[in-house]
Amino acid sequence: AWFCGNASAVLPVGLLEPYAYGLYVMLGNAHAWVHDYSWPLPDEAGVDPWGPPSSDHRTARGGSYFDTAKVTRAANRAAYLPTQEWANFGFRVARTAFD
């Protein structure tokens, strides 16, 4: 993954080798804005818990080229106002597959 130890700016996708299944790294490079509003994680274990129905802050995940390797991980979550603009923020286009 791209992080502060090997990058100094957001880089194009595909510069690193894909994993064995042909998938590219989805961590680092740029924080990914996600759909969830920000909220404290529950104490009990859960699988992909949903946030509240509204909040002033949105969630960004994954770390960026500006962060250390320790922060550049899927479980990394941070809360930001949606009006904040940073060079190390982005979003990932995703679509639900239909049968």
Side-chain angles (χ1 to χ4, degrees), residues 21-96:
Y21 295 107
L23 300 173
Y24 288 91
V25 170
M26 294 181 58
L27 301 173
N29 206 17
H31 283 282
W33 284 111
V34 297
H35 184 268
D36 295 353
Y37 289 103
S38 182
W39 63 301
L41 289 174
D43 291 332
E44 67 277 356
V47 176
D48 197 17
W50 280 84
S54 66
S55 172
D56 290 338
H57 291 77
R58 288 284 193 165
T59 300
R61 297 183 70 160
S64 75
Y65 73 88
F66 194 75
D67 296 308
T68 64
K70 184 176 180 178
V71 174
T72 305
R73 57 193 185 93
N76 179 50
R77 297 166 35 102
Y80 298 97
L81 291 170
T83 55
Q84 288 180 278
E85 295 181 22
W86 300 90
N88 60 327
F89 276 51
F91 67 95
R92 187 174 314 282
V93 178
R95 179 174 177 210
T96 303

